[in-house]
C-alpha cells in the first residue's frame, strides 16, 4: 500500500473506534456537548495533532483511558483541567529508552514521555522483562525488543541472559563475543533465541552491532531475514563509528541499506547523530537515497553532542581517537570528571561496565559541529529518541520507589531532557521547525515506525477521537530541559500535566507518586 492509502485506512480505523466510544456514551461532538460528562476534560488548550494537521483551540474529553471527544466548546467532566494558554499534544513516544526502572520512567515523564521503549538494546528473556516491569508498575507505557546481542553473548560465553541491562554491563569483562565470528551452528542457535523473544511478544529486534563489530555479514543477514519473516523492524546501533575507511560508519550504514534491499526487512538506524560522527552529510545522502527508492530505512536522533555508554566498549579501543575524527581521552567523562589517557586505560581494565559520557561533537563550542548535529536531528522523517540511561548513585543502579532521586544521582542529561530540549532549542529558540513538525517527530513518526507490526501503536501518537489518552499539556514559552553533563539530576520543566491512559502522572507540574497507569506495549505472545 502507498503511504497515503495506509494513512487513509488508518484514519478510518481510528474514526470508527471513536464513533463507537462516542455513540456508547454521549453526544459529545454535537452542540449539546456541554451536557456530556467525561472522566477528565482538558478545556481550551491549543490542541495539536500532527496527523490531521489540527492546530486550534479545542477541549478534549477523556473516558475509559481514551479520547472520547474533541470539541470547540468547553466540556464537563469529573476532573476539569483549564488548558488555556497551554499546548495539548500527544504524549511523546520514545523508541530508545534504556532506563527501564521506576526512577528513570519518572524522570522521562517530566520530559513529556508517555511511552518509553527499549528497542536498540532489547532484552532476553523477553517474558521475564515484561513480567518484572509489570509487577513493579510504571507511570508510563513500556516495552522491549528481542536482543541480538544478548543472544550472541549467550552463545559465545555460555552466560544466560537475566532479562536486565546489567547482563550487558557484566559481559564487558569478556571479549570473545565482541570480535569472533559465529559458526553456522552458533548463528542458527542465536537466531532461534531471538525468534523465541519475538514469540514472547517483543516489538522487533534490537541490534547493538557497534558493541560486537566482529560479527559476520551472514549472521546479520540471518537476523534481517528473521525480521522480514516475522514482519518486525530491527533497531540497529551500527558498527564501526569511524570517519576512516575501511570499517567506517558510512560502510556500516551501507550494510544496513543492503540488508533492507535484500531481505525487505524494515531497518531502523538508532542515534544517527552519534554513530555517524562527522560523516553525517554523506550518511544522510545514503539513507535518503535508499528511502527515495522505497527501501524501509528509518532513523532517529537525540539533540546532544555527547553519548553515553560503558567505558569498556569496543568503540574506545585501538585508534579510536582518529576514527572519531580527532577525539581525546578528555572527551570522555565519568560522573562529570574528564579522563586522561592513563585514567581511561585504568578504568577500561578495572571497571569496564561503568557508564560514562563521551563527547563526539561540541555544538556549544563549534558552529560547524552544531550544523552537523542539526542535520542528523532534523533528518526528514526522522524521530526524536532519547537513548535515556538508567540512573546511578554511588556506582549502583537506582531501582524501585526512590523519589526524589538522591542528590548525586547521575546519568546522561538526555535521560531527563531530550524532548523538552528539542522543543526549547530547535523549535522555540532557534526556530528550526514549526511546533507541529517538531511534535510530529516525537509522536506520530515513532508510532508509525512501529504500527505496522505493533497494532497498539495505531492509537498512539495522535489526538483523535478513539486514540489512547496519552497526552501532554505544556507551556510552549517555558518548556525546557535543565540537566547538564555535570548536573544531570534535574527534571525538565514546563510540563503542566502528563496523562497516561487517561490518568495524570504529572499534575500541575508535580509527580503523582502513586499513579502507575503505564501498560505494556507488546505483540501477541505465541509461546508460553
Ligand atoms: Zn547505542
Amino acid at each position: 500500500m502507498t503511504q497515503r492509502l495506509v494513512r487513509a485506512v488508518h484514519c478510518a480505523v481510528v474514526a470508527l473506534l471513536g464513533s463507537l466510544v462516542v455513540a456508547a456514551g454521549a453526544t459529545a461532538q454535537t452542540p449539546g456537548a456541554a451536557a456530556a460528562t467525561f472522566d477528565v476534560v482538558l478545556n481550551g488548550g491549543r490542541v495539536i495533532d500532527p496527523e490531521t494537521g489540527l492546530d486550534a483551540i479545542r477541549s478534549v474529553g477523556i473516558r475509559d483511558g481514551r479520547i472520547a471527544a474533541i470539541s470547540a466548546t468547553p466540556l464537563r467532566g469529573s476532573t476539569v483541567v483549564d488548558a488555556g494558554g497551554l499546548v495539548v499534544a500527544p504524549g511523546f513516544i520514545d523508541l530508545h529508552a534504556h532506563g527501564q526502572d521506576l526512577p528513570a520512567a519518572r524522570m522521562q515523564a517530566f520530559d513529556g514521555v508517555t511511552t518509553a521503549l527499549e528497542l536498540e538494546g532489547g532484552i532476553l528473556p523477553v517474558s521475564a522483562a515484561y513480567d518484572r516491569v509489570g509487577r513493579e508498575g510504571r507511570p508510563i507505557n513500556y516495552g522491549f525488543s528481542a536482543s541480538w546481542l544478548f543472544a550472541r553473548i549467550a552463545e559465545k560465553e555460555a552466560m544466560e541472559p537475566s532479562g536486565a541491562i546489567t547482563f550487558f554491563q557484566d559481559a564487558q569483562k569478556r571479549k570473545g563475543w565482541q570480535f569472533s565470528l559465529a559458526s553456522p551452528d552458533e548463528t542458527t542457535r542465536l537466531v532461534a533465541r531471538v525468534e523465541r523473544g519475538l514469540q514472547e511478544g517483543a516489538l522487533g529486534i534490537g541490534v547493538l552491532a557497534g558493541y560486537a563489530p566482529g560479527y559476520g555479514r551472514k549472521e546479520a543477514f540471518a537476523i534481517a531475514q528473521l525480521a522480514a519473516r516475522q514482519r518486525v523492524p530491527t533497531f540497529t546501533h551500527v558498527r564501526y563509528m569511524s570517519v576512516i575507511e575501511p570499517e567506517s560508519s558510512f560502510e556500516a550504514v551501507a550494510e544496513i541499506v543492503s540488508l533492507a534491499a535484500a531481505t525487505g526487512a524494515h531497518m531502523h538506524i538508532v542515534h544517527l547523530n552519534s554513530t555517524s560522527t562527522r560523516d553525517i552529510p554523506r550518511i544522510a545522502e545514503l539513507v535518503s537515497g535508499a528511502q527515495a527508492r522505497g527501501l524501509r530505512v528509518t532513523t532517529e536522533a537525540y539533540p546532544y553532542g555527547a553519548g553515553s555508554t560503558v567505558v569498556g566498549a569496543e568503540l574506545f579501543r585501538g585508534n579510536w581517537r582518529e576514527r572519531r575524527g580527532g577525539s581525546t581521552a578528555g572527551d570522555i567523562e565519568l560522573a562529570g570528571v574528564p579522563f586522561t589517557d592513563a585514567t581511561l586505560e585504568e578504568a577500561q581494565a578495572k571497571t569496564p561496565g561503568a557508564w560514562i559520557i563521551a563527547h563526539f561533537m561540541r555544538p556549544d563550542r563549534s558552529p560547524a559541529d552544531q550544523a552537523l548535529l542539526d542535520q542528523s536531528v532534523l533528518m526528514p522523517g526522522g524521530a526524536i529518541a532519547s537513548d535515556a540511561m538508567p540512573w546511578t548513585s554511588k556506582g549502583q543502579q537506582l531501582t524501585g520507589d526512590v523519589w526524589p532521586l538522591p542528590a548525586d544521582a547521575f546519568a546522561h542529561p538526555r535521560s531527563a531532557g531530550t524532548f523538552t530540549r528539542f522543543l526549547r532549542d530547535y523549535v522555540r529558540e532557534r526556530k528550526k521547525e514549526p511546533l507541529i513538525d517538531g511534535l510530529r517527530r516525537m509522536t506520530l513518526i515513532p508510532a508509525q515506525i512501529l504500527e505496522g507490526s505493533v497494532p497498539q501503536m495505531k492509537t498512539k501518537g495522535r489526538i483523535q477521537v478513539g486514540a489512547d489518552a496519552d497526552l501532554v499539556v505544556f507551556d510552549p514559552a517555558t518548556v525546557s530541559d535543565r540537566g547538564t553533563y555535570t548536573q544531570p539530576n534535574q527534571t525538565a520543566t514546563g510540563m503542566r500535566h502528563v496523562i497516561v491512559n487517561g490518568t495524570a502522572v504529572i499534575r500541575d507540574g508535580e509527580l503523582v507518586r502513586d499513579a502507575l497507569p503505564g501498560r505494556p506495549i507488546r505483540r501477541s505472545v505465541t509461546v508460553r
Side-chain angles (χ1 to χ4, degrees), residues 96 98 120 208 211 236-237 270-271 274-275 308 387 414:
H96 194 149
H98 299 301
E120 180 211 41
L208 278 169
Y211 292 85
T236 305
H237 171 143
V270 306
H271 50 48
S274 65
T275 37
S308 179
D387 203 351
R414 69 193 181 199

Side-chain angles (χ1 to χ4, degrees), residues 186-439:
E186 284 171 335
T187 302
T188 301
R189 287 199 300 269
L190 75 85
V191 168
R193 282 181 184 264
V194 174
E195 185 156 21
R196 168 97 194 174
L198 294 174
Q199 290 164 343
E200 290 177 3
L203 304 172
I205 305 175
V207 185
L208 278 169
Y211 292 85
Y215 68 83
R217 288 182 178 265
K218 292 178 204 170
E219 181 180 343
F221 186 54
I223 290 291
Q225 284 180 311
L226 172 63
R229 209 162 55 235
Q230 295 282 340
R231 298 179 191 282
V232 294
T234 62
F235 302 88
T236 305
H237 171 143
V238 300
R239 57 178 163 184
Y240 300 146
M241 200 155 185
S242 173
V243 294
I244 302 170
E245 296 195 283
E247 302 190 345
S248 64
S249 299
F250 187 88
E251 180 184 328
V253 174
E255 176 181 27
I256 298 297
V257 169
S258 78
L259 291 170
T263 66
H266 172 181
M267 306 295 291
H268 178 81
I269 301 170
V270 306
H271 50 48
L272 194 70
N273 54 311
S274 65
T275 37
S276 300
T277 64
R278 287 186 163 75
D279 255 346
I280 283 168
R282 272 164 292 196
I283 288 174
E285 273 184 79
L286 177 61
V287 171
S288 304
Q291 292 169 334
R293 284 157 190 80
L295 295 185
R296 192 89 168 101
V297 179
T298 52
T299 66
E300 58 166 68
Y302 55 82
Y304 293 84
S308 179
T309 186
V310 287
V311 71
E314 191 278 337
L315 36 102
F316 304 123
R317 306 246 171 209
N319 63 337
W320 67 273
R321 295 166 181 79
E322 296 79 50
R323 290 166 63 75
R324 282 212 175 192
S327 283
T328 68
D331 289 327
I332 309 177
E333 301 169 2
L334 178 69
V337 181
F339 283 105
T340 64
D341 287 340
T343 57
L344 178 62
E345 210 172 295
E346 186 183 350
Q348 286 172 324
K350 290 188 180 160
T351 55
W355 298 120
I356 50 85
I357 283 173
H359 296 269
F360 50 83
M361 276 177 208
R362 297 285 190 169
D364 49 334
R365 300 178 189 171
S366 157
D369 280 13
Q370 180 72 68
L372 288 172
L373 181 61
D374 289 352
Q375 189 177 4
S376 61
V377 170
L378 299 171
M379 185 78 182
I384 299 296
S386 73
D387 203 351
M389 305 299 292
W391 290 83
T392 58
S393 170
K394 299 177 179 51
Q396 293 297 312
Q397 193 167 317
L398 290 171
T399 61
D401 188 10
V402 181
W403 194 264
L405 304 190
D408 71 329
F410 203 88
H412 188 299
R414 69 193 181 199
S415 317
T418 292
F419 296 87
T420 47
R421 181 183 181 89
F422 181 82
L423 289 172
R424 172 184 63 76
D425 182 17
Y426 283 80
V427 174
R428 185 172 67 237
E429 293 179 355
R430 291 194 292 132
K431 298 187 172 33
K432 292 288 182 187
E433 281 193 331
L435 180 55
I436 191 168
D437 293 339
L439 290 170

